[in-house]
Amino acid sequence: MSWMQRLAASALLAAAFLAAAGCARQPEPAAPSEALTPEQLIESRCTQCHDRGRIDAASYDAAGWTAVIDRMVAKGARLTEEEKAALVEHLAAD
Ligand code: HEC
């Protein structure tokens, strides 16, 4: 094998390796910190125990929604502090 052939062969190997690595890459799961919109939060965190009709029927100010959501969290709803704040703001707005 000439040095040219060796060079070509290792370049091919490197290309094949890179292609394989590219194909093996899994789609990235959504980062847990990725913020959901308030509507997505309602769909994903507030409809396990009752449908969203209850939420749409209720009308509170921010303090009222904070109290309701704290009660829901005590029952088992899963929300971070940031998500809770975003949801209160959204729900109190309409
Ligand atoms: C673990 C179950 C559970 C989850 C999750 C849950 N709820 Fe509830 N929710 C209840 C139960 C049980 C009631 C009825 C008893 C009560 O009002 O405390 C209720 C009642 C309500 C009511 C009507 C009562 C009122 O005071 O107006 C609203 C509004 C409400 N939920 C909003 C929400 C929101 C917003 C979320 C998401 C953050 C949520 N719920 C998630 C169990 C849950």
PDB file of all heavy atoms in Angstrom, residues 45-46 48-50 54-55 58 60 65 68-69 71-72 75-77 79 87 91, ligand 1:
ATOM      1  N   ARG A  45     -50.987  18.687  33.660  1.00  0.00           N
ATOM      2  CA  ARG A  45     -50.899  18.541  35.120  1.00  0.00           C
ATOM      3  C   ARG A  45     -52.228  18.681  35.841  1.00  0.00           C
ATOM      4  O   ARG A  45     -52.298  18.405  37.037  1.00  0.00           O
ATOM      5  CB  ARG A  45     -49.948  19.594  35.720  1.00  0.00           C
ATOM      6  CG  ARG A  45     -48.646  19.747  35.010  1.00  0.00           C
ATOM      7  CD  ARG A  45     -47.705  18.592  35.313  1.00  0.00           C
ATOM      8  NE  ARG A  45     -46.527  18.687  34.472  1.00  0.00           N
ATOM      9  CZ  ARG A  45     -45.537  19.550  34.689  1.00  0.00           C
ATOM     10  NH1 ARG A  45     -45.548  20.343  35.718  1.00  0.00           N
ATOM     11  NH2 ARG A  45     -44.515  19.585  33.874  1.00  0.00           N
ATOM     12  N   CYS A  46     -53.244  19.167  35.168  1.00  0.00           N
ATOM     13  CA  CYS A  46     -54.474  19.506  35.882  1.00  0.00           C
ATOM     14  C   CYS A  46     -55.658  18.668  35.446  1.00  0.00           C
ATOM     15  O   CYS A  46     -56.784  18.958  35.863  1.00  0.00           O
ATOM     16  CB  CYS A  46     -54.814  20.978  35.692  1.00  0.00           C
ATOM     17  SG  CYS A  46     -53.495  22.081  36.184  1.00  0.00           S
ATOM     18  N   GLN A  48     -55.729  15.079  35.395  1.00  0.00           N
ATOM     19  CA  GLN A  48     -55.687  13.666  35.804  1.00  0.00           C
ATOM     20  C   GLN A  48     -56.887  13.339  36.692  1.00  0.00           C
ATOM     21  O   GLN A  48     -57.374  12.223  36.679  1.00  0.00           O
ATOM     22  CB  GLN A  48     -54.408  13.333  36.586  1.00  0.00           C
ATOM     23  CG  GLN A  48     -53.143  13.387  35.767  1.00  0.00           C
ATOM     24  CD  GLN A  48     -52.430  14.707  35.990  1.00  0.00           C
ATOM     25  OE1 GLN A  48     -53.056  15.731  36.253  1.00  0.00           O
ATOM     26  NE2 GLN A  48     -51.118  14.686  35.871  1.00  0.00           N
ATOM     27  N   CYS A  49     -57.281  14.301  37.518  1.00  0.00           N
ATOM     28  CA  CYS A  49     -58.310  14.000  38.520  1.00  0.00           C
ATOM     29  C   CYS A  49     -59.685  14.515  38.105  1.00  0.00           C
ATOM     30  O   CYS A  49     -60.691  14.012  38.548  1.00  0.00           O
ATOM     31  CB  CYS A  49     -57.929  14.607  39.861  1.00  0.00           C
ATOM     32  SG  CYS A  49     -56.268  14.139  40.403  1.00  0.00           S
ATOM     33  N   HIS A  50     -59.698  15.567  37.313  1.00  0.00           N
ATOM     34  CA  HIS A  50     -60.969  16.112  36.826  1.00  0.00           C
ATOM     35  C   HIS A  50     -60.667  16.697  35.461  1.00  0.00           C
ATOM     36  O   HIS A  50     -59.505  16.929  35.132  1.00  0.00           O
ATOM     37  CB  HIS A  50     -61.522  17.169  37.783  1.00  0.00           C
ATOM     38  CG  HIS A  50     -60.525  18.196  38.232  1.00  0.00           C
ATOM     39  ND1 HIS A  50     -60.007  19.164  37.403  1.00  0.00           N
ATOM     40  CD2 HIS A  50     -59.912  18.361  39.430  1.00  0.00           C
ATOM     41  CE1 HIS A  50     -59.155  19.896  38.081  1.00  0.00           C
ATOM     42  NE2 HIS A  50     -59.050  19.438  39.309  1.00  0.00           N
ATOM     43  N   ARG A  54     -63.735  22.086  35.027  1.00  0.00           N
ATOM     44  CA  ARG A  54     -63.717  22.660  36.375  1.00  0.00           C
ATOM     45  C   ARG A  54     -62.881  23.917  36.436  1.00  0.00           C
ATOM     46  O   ARG A  54     -63.181  24.836  37.184  1.00  0.00           O
ATOM     47  CB  ARG A  54     -63.078  21.663  37.336  1.00  0.00           C
ATOM     48  CG  ARG A  54     -64.087  20.816  37.956  1.00  0.00           C
ATOM     49  CD  ARG A  54     -63.692  20.459  39.370  1.00  0.00           C
ATOM     50  NE  ARG A  54     -64.427  19.244  39.610  1.00  0.00           N
ATOM     51  CZ  ARG A  54     -64.518  18.619  40.736  1.00  0.00           C
ATOM     52  NH1 ARG A  54     -63.865  19.068  41.774  1.00  0.00           N
ATOM     53  NH2 ARG A  54     -65.235  17.548  40.840  1.00  0.00           N
ATOM     54  N   ILE A  55     -61.800  23.895  35.680  1.00  0.00           N
ATOM     55  CA  ILE A  55     -60.881  25.032  35.696  1.00  0.00           C
ATOM     56  C   ILE A  55     -61.495  26.179  34.899  1.00  0.00           C
ATOM     57  O   ILE A  55     -61.466  27.332  35.319  1.00  0.00           O
ATOM     58  CB  ILE A  55     -59.512  24.603  35.126  1.00  0.00           C
ATOM     59  CG1 ILE A  55     -58.934  23.499  36.021  1.00  0.00           C
ATOM     60  CG2 ILE A  55     -58.563  25.793  35.019  1.00  0.00           C
ATOM     61  CD1 ILE A  55     -57.842  22.691  35.383  1.00  0.00           C
ATOM     62  N   ALA A  58     -64.234  27.945  36.827  1.00  0.00           N
ATOM     63  CA  ALA A  58     -63.855  28.713  38.009  1.00  0.00           C
ATOM     64  C   ALA A  58     -63.296  30.072  37.622  1.00  0.00           C
ATOM     65  O   ALA A  58     -62.680  30.215  36.564  1.00  0.00           O
ATOM     66  CB  ALA A  58     -62.811  27.936  38.812  1.00  0.00           C
ATOM     67  N   TYR A  60     -61.232  33.200  39.551  1.00  0.00           N
ATOM     68  CA  TYR A  60     -60.624  33.738  40.767  1.00  0.00           C
ATOM     69  C   TYR A  60     -59.629  34.815  40.390  1.00  0.00           C
ATOM     70  O   TYR A  60     -59.178  34.873  39.250  1.00  0.00           O
ATOM     71  CB  TYR A  60     -59.859  32.633  41.513  1.00  0.00           C
ATOM     72  CG  TYR A  60     -60.729  31.521  42.030  1.00  0.00           C
ATOM     73  CD1 TYR A  60     -60.766  30.299  41.374  1.00  0.00           C
ATOM     74  CD2 TYR A  60     -61.502  31.696  43.168  1.00  0.00           C
ATOM     75  CE1 TYR A  60     -61.560  29.260  41.839  1.00  0.00           C
ATOM     76  CE2 TYR A  60     -62.307  30.671  43.649  1.00  0.00           C
ATOM     77  CZ  TYR A  60     -62.324  29.457  42.976  1.00  0.00           C
ATOM     78  OH  TYR A  60     -63.114  28.453  43.439  1.00  0.00           O
ATOM     79  N   TRP A  65     -56.567  31.901  42.877  1.00  0.00           N
ATOM     80  CA  TRP A  65     -55.959  30.800  42.123  1.00  0.00           C
ATOM     81  C   TRP A  65     -54.767  30.203  42.864  1.00  0.00           C
ATOM     82  O   TRP A  65     -54.548  28.989  42.831  1.00  0.00           O
ATOM     83  CB  TRP A  65     -55.540  31.244  40.719  1.00  0.00           C
ATOM     84  CG  TRP A  65     -56.686  31.193  39.750  1.00  0.00           C
ATOM     85  CD1 TRP A  65     -57.254  32.231  39.085  1.00  0.00           C
ATOM     86  CD2 TRP A  65     -57.399  30.004  39.336  1.00  0.00           C
ATOM     87  NE1 TRP A  65     -58.283  31.778  38.295  1.00  0.00           N
ATOM     88  CE2 TRP A  65     -58.396  30.416  38.426  1.00  0.00           C
ATOM     89  CE3 TRP A  65     -57.297  28.652  39.657  1.00  0.00           C
ATOM     90  CZ2 TRP A  65     -59.277  29.516  37.827  1.00  0.00           C
ATOM     91  CZ3 TRP A  65     -58.188  27.750  39.062  1.00  0.00           C
ATOM     92  CH2 TRP A  65     -59.155  28.180  38.165  1.00  0.00           C
ATOM     93  N   VAL A  68     -56.260  27.852  45.317  1.00  0.00           N
ATOM     94  CA  VAL A  68     -56.782  26.638  44.676  1.00  0.00           C
ATOM     95  C   VAL A  68     -55.621  25.735  44.256  1.00  0.00           C
ATOM     96  O   VAL A  68     -55.620  24.529  44.530  1.00  0.00           O
ATOM     97  CB  VAL A  68     -57.657  26.985  43.443  1.00  0.00           C
ATOM     98  CG1 VAL A  68     -57.973  25.729  42.633  1.00  0.00           C
ATOM     99  CG2 VAL A  68     -58.956  27.658  43.885  1.00  0.00           C
ATOM    100  N   ILE A  69     -54.621  26.334  43.602  1.00  0.00           N
ATOM    101  CA  ILE A  69     -53.519  25.518  43.082  1.00  0.00           C
ATOM    102  C   ILE A  69     -52.704  24.908  44.219  1.00  0.00           C
ATOM    103  O   ILE A  69     -52.299  23.750  44.141  1.00  0.00           O
ATOM    104  CB  ILE A  69     -52.663  26.340  42.097  1.00  0.00           C
ATOM    105  CG1 ILE A  69     -53.504  26.584  40.825  1.00  0.00           C
ATOM    106  CG2 ILE A  69     -51.365  25.614  41.742  1.00  0.00           C
ATOM    107  CD1 ILE A  69     -52.859  27.492  39.807  1.00  0.00           C
ATOM    108  N   ARG A  71     -53.969  23.962  46.936  1.00  0.00           N
ATOM    109  CA  ARG A  71     -54.787  22.826  47.370  1.00  0.00           C
ATOM    110  C   ARG A  71     -54.616  21.655  46.405  1.00  0.00           C
ATOM    111  O   ARG A  71     -54.542  20.504  46.830  1.00  0.00           O
ATOM    112  CB  ARG A  71     -56.249  23.263  47.431  1.00  0.00           C
ATOM    113  CG  ARG A  71     -57.070  22.479  48.429  1.00  0.00           C
ATOM    114  CD  ARG A  71     -58.399  23.180  48.697  1.00  0.00           C
ATOM    115  NE  ARG A  71     -59.338  22.971  47.625  1.00  0.00           N
ATOM    116  CZ  ARG A  71     -60.062  23.937  47.039  1.00  0.00           C
ATOM    117  NH1 ARG A  71     -59.908  25.186  47.430  1.00  0.00           N
ATOM    118  NH2 ARG A  71     -60.902  23.659  46.074  1.00  0.00           N
ATOM    119  N   MET A  72     -54.542  21.932  45.105  1.00  0.00           N
ATOM    120  CA  MET A  72     -54.361  20.872  44.104  1.00  0.00           C
ATOM    121  C   MET A  72     -52.994  20.210  44.268  1.00  0.00           C
ATOM    122  O   MET A  72     -52.865  18.992  44.131  1.00  0.00           O
ATOM    123  CB  MET A  72     -54.502  21.440  42.686  1.00  0.00           C
ATOM    124  CG  MET A  72     -55.875  22.018  42.406  1.00  0.00           C
ATOM    125  SD  MET A  72     -57.185  20.837  42.751  1.00  0.00           S
ATOM    126  CE  MET A  72     -58.397  21.909  43.531  1.00  0.00           C
ATOM    127  N   LYS A  75     -53.069  17.819  46.951  1.00  0.00           N
ATOM    128  CA  LYS A  75     -53.752  16.583  46.551  1.00  0.00           C
ATOM    129  C   LYS A  75     -52.862  15.708  45.671  1.00  0.00           C
ATOM    130  O   LYS A  75     -53.142  14.539  45.479  1.00  0.00           O
ATOM    131  CB  LYS A  75     -55.030  16.891  45.762  1.00  0.00           C
ATOM    132  CG  LYS A  75     -56.132  17.552  46.555  1.00  0.00           C
ATOM    133  CD  LYS A  75     -57.346  17.739  45.644  1.00  0.00           C
ATOM    134  CE  LYS A  75     -58.278  18.850  46.103  1.00  0.00           C
ATOM    135  NZ  LYS A  75     -58.913  18.575  47.396  1.00  0.00           N
ATOM    136  N   GLY A  76     -51.846  16.329  45.054  1.00  0.00           N
ATOM    137  CA  GLY A  76     -50.944  15.533  44.218  1.00  0.00           C
ATOM    138  C   GLY A  76     -50.593  16.140  42.881  1.00  0.00           C
ATOM    139  O   GLY A  76     -49.844  15.534  42.120  1.00  0.00           O
ATOM    140  N   ALA A  77     -51.128  17.323  42.552  1.00  0.00           N
ATOM    141  CA  ALA A  77     -50.740  17.960  41.284  1.00  0.00           C
ATOM    142  C   ALA A  77     -49.254  18.288  41.339  1.00  0.00           C
ATOM    143  O   ALA A  77     -48.746  18.690  42.378  1.00  0.00           O
ATOM    144  CB  ALA A  77     -51.569  19.224  41.057  1.00  0.00           C
ATOM    145  N   LEU A  79     -46.329  20.598  40.132  1.00  0.00           N
ATOM    146  CA  LEU A  79     -45.974  21.884  39.529  1.00  0.00           C
ATOM    147  C   LEU A  79     -44.755  22.439  40.250  1.00  0.00           C
ATOM    148  O   LEU A  79     -44.694  22.380  41.472  1.00  0.00           O
ATOM    149  CB  LEU A  79     -47.105  22.903  39.705  1.00  0.00           C
ATOM    150  CG  LEU A  79     -48.417  22.749  38.937  1.00  0.00           C
ATOM    151  CD1 LEU A  79     -49.410  23.778  39.446  1.00  0.00           C
ATOM    152  CD2 LEU A  79     -48.208  22.929  37.451  1.00  0.00           C
ATOM    153  N   LEU A  87     -49.005  29.712  35.861  1.00  0.00           N
ATOM    154  CA  LEU A  87     -50.395  29.260  35.775  1.00  0.00           C
ATOM    155  C   LEU A  87     -51.330  30.239  36.492  1.00  0.00           C
ATOM    156  O   LEU A  87     -52.400  30.576  35.971  1.00  0.00           O
ATOM    157  CB  LEU A  87     -50.486  27.862  36.405  1.00  0.00           C
ATOM    158  CG  LEU A  87     -51.631  26.969  35.957  1.00  0.00           C
ATOM    159  CD1 LEU A  87     -51.736  26.924  34.447  1.00  0.00           C
ATOM    160  CD2 LEU A  87     -51.435  25.570  36.512  1.00  0.00           C
ATOM    161  N   LEU A  91     -54.339  32.096  34.666  1.00  0.00           N
ATOM    162  CA  LEU A  91     -55.730  31.844  35.058  1.00  0.00           C
ATOM    163  C   LEU A  91     -56.393  33.101  35.609  1.00  0.00           C
ATOM    164  O   LEU A  91     -57.586  33.320  35.377  1.00  0.00           O
ATOM    165  CB  LEU A  91     -55.773  30.710  36.095  1.00  0.00           C
ATOM    166  CG  LEU A  91     -55.448  29.324  35.522  1.00  0.00           C
ATOM    167  CD1 LEU A  91     -55.196  28.327  36.640  1.00  0.00           C
ATOM    168  CD2 LEU A  91     -56.572  28.828  34.621  1.00  0.00           C
TER     169      LEU A  91
HETATM  170  C1  HEC B   1     -54.508  14.868  42.403  1.00  0.00           C
HETATM  171  C2  HEC B   1     -55.772  15.187  41.796  1.00  0.00           C
HETATM  172  C3  HEC B   1     -55.947  16.594  41.259  1.00  0.00           C
HETATM  173  C4  HEC B   1     -55.138  17.282  40.415  1.00  0.00           C
HETATM  174  C5  HEC B   1     -53.834  16.799  39.774  1.00  0.00           C
HETATM  175  C6  HEC B   1     -55.752  18.579  40.217  1.00  0.00           C
HETATM  176  N1  HEC B   1     -56.926  18.656  40.916  1.00  0.00           N
HETATM  177 FE1  HEC B   1     -58.232  20.233  40.929  1.00  0.00          FE
HETATM  178  N2  HEC B   1     -59.474  19.186  42.121  1.00  0.00           N
HETATM  179  C7  HEC B   1     -59.233  17.940  42.652  1.00  0.00           C
HETATM  180  C8  HEC B   1     -60.334  17.548  43.524  1.00  0.00           C
HETATM  181  C9  HEC B   1     -60.436  16.244  44.300  1.00  0.00           C
HETATM  182  C10 HEC B   1     -61.258  18.632  43.501  1.00  0.00           C
HETATM  183  C11 HEC B   1     -62.583  18.757  44.281  1.00  0.00           C
HETATM  184  C12 HEC B   1     -62.322  19.059  45.750  1.00  0.00           C
HETATM  185  C13 HEC B   1     -61.801  20.457  45.987  1.00  0.00           C
HETATM  186  O1  HEC B   1     -62.285  21.422  45.385  1.00  0.00           O
HETATM  187  O2  HEC B   1     -60.853  20.583  46.783  1.00  0.00           O
HETATM  188  C14 HEC B   1     -60.685  19.628  42.594  1.00  0.00           C
HETATM  189  C15 HEC B   1     -61.309  20.814  42.288  1.00  0.00           C
HETATM  190  C16 HEC B   1     -60.776  21.799  41.489  1.00  0.00           C
HETATM  191  C17 HEC B   1     -61.418  23.064  41.198  1.00  0.00           C
HETATM  192  C18 HEC B   1     -62.815  23.484  41.625  1.00  0.00           C
HETATM  193  C19 HEC B   1     -62.835  23.874  43.074  1.00  0.00           C
HETATM  194  C20 HEC B   1     -62.655  25.333  43.303  1.00  0.00           C
HETATM  195  O3  HEC B   1     -62.266  25.698  44.432  1.00  0.00           O
HETATM  196  O4  HEC B   1     -62.911  26.160  42.390  1.00  0.00           O
HETATM  197  C21 HEC B   1     -60.561  23.771  40.427  1.00  0.00           C
HETATM  198  C22 HEC B   1     -60.759  25.165  39.865  1.00  0.00           C
HETATM  199  C23 HEC B   1     -59.369  22.966  40.246  1.00  0.00           C
HETATM  200  N3  HEC B   1     -59.536  21.759  40.881  1.00  0.00           N
HETATM  201  C24 HEC B   1     -58.265  23.347  39.539  1.00  0.00           C
HETATM  202  C25 HEC B   1     -57.146  22.556  39.324  1.00  0.00           C
HETATM  203  C26 HEC B   1     -55.945  23.010  38.631  1.00  0.00           C
HETATM  204  C27 HEC B   1     -55.728  24.396  38.055  1.00  0.00           C
HETATM  205  C28 HEC B   1     -55.087  21.942  38.617  1.00  0.00           C
HETATM  206  C29 HEC B   1     -53.673  21.892  38.040  1.00  0.00           C
HETATM  207  C30 HEC B   1     -52.717  22.754  38.724  1.00  0.00           C
HETATM  208  C31 HEC B   1     -55.740  20.833  39.293  1.00  0.00           C
HETATM  209  N4  HEC B   1     -56.990  21.258  39.727  1.00  0.00           N
HETATM  210  C32 HEC B   1     -55.200  19.571  39.447  1.00  0.00           C
HETATM  211  C33 HEC B   1     -58.147  17.138  42.386  1.00  0.00           C
HETATM  212  C34 HEC B   1     -57.085  17.472  41.579  1.00  0.00           C
END
